[in-house]
Structures are given as structure tokens and as C-alpha cells.
Amino acid sequence: TSCEATDSPLITETSHIPSGYMGLDIGPRTIELYRKFISQSKSVVWNGPMGVFEIPTYATGSFSIAKEMGDGTQEGLLSSSIIGGGASADA
């Protein structure tokens, strides 16, 4: 199995990843769950990207969480947000 860009990634409804596939990003349901937790938090520490963000097909999770944390910080909803690790900061 290799990590390659695709126009239509497989999105599963559960945590089960079929044989021959790899988990390369978080899906829409996980993004919404993380957004909910971030919006209910005062402080968030994020260490590590959500997926292989260097490939645009798999960047949605990382960019969504980065935006949620940035917006929460800008709006004063998060009193502190810490992004650790070079790859997370790059996202």
C-alpha cells in the first residue's frame, strides 16, 4: 500500500480501515467532533497533524483543526492554544 493523492479518498463511517487502504486523514465526523471539543475548551494543546497534509487530498483534517484553533484564539474563546511540533505548525 502506498500513500498517493487521489481525487476521491475513501471515507469510512467507522474506525475500520479496509484491507489495502491506509488512514491518511481524519474524516468529516471526526473533524466535527474535534471542533466541538475545541469550542468547549479554554486551552488546547495540539501536537501532530491530523493526516498527511503535504498531499492536498489528505490535508482537510489538519487545516480544519488549525483554522478552528486559530479562530478560537482570535475570538478570545481559547485563552491559550499551543501547537507543538514542526509539522503541526507547518499545517
Side-chain angles (χ1 to χ4, degrees), residues 61-81:
S62 294
F63 291 166
S64 296
I65 300 310
K67 180 169 179 10
E68 189 70 23
M69 288 184 65
D71 290 351
T73 302
Q74 290 271 328
E75 295 167 11
L77 303 173
L78 288 173
S79 57
S80 65
S81 55

Side-chain angles (χ1 to χ4, degrees), residues 2-11 21-22 24-25 52 55-60:
S2 65
C3 175
E4 298 175 11
T6 178
D7 291 334
S8 56
L10 174 69
I11 298 174
Y21 288 87
M22 297 175 10
L24 300 173
D25 197 6
V52 184
I55 299 175
T57 303
Y58 309 116
T60 303

